[in-house]
Amino acid sequence: MKQLQAETGSIDLSLYIGSAHLALNQTSEAIYNLNPQAEVSYDFKYRFQWYLALAYLQADNASEARKVLENIVENGDYKVSAAESLLAKLP
């Protein structure tokens, strides 16, 4: 997948790379890929943020997860209800 990303130049592929790392409990790699330096397309923006929040939670970083989840609730259009539910459970 990284080769495909290099060939196409699509930053959006980082979503799939990052979520795969998340599923494999490779948290630091997930966070790196889900927090891209370049701007992602609007279609994927809040998907990136959702999985980034999950990666922060996996890394026991509730404060960063909270920031991302609050942004999803305030501005997003993906997993808003799930983000609200997770926020209610955070310390």
Side-chain angles (χ1 to χ4, degrees), residues 10-69:
S10 175
I11 193 67
D12 293 341
L13 288 173
S14 291
L15 174 65
Y16 302 106
I17 295 168
S19 60
H21 283 296
L22 182 63
L24 295 169
N25 292 319
Q26 298 170 342
T27 310
S28 60
E29 292 90 345
I31 291 171
Y32 175 80
N33 282 284
L34 293 167
N35 200 3
Q37 299 303 312
E39 187 68 29
V40 299
S41 68
Y42 181 82
D43 293 338
F44 287 95
K45 180 177 182 175
Y46 295 103
R47 286 171 173 80
F48 268 91
Q49 289 190 3
W50 169 253
Y51 289 102
L52 179 61
L54 295 180
Y56 281 135
L57 289 173
Q58 193 175 74
D60 292 324
N61 190 341
S63 64
E64 286 300 316
R66 177 178 293 283
K67 290 177 194 175
V68 176
L69 290 168

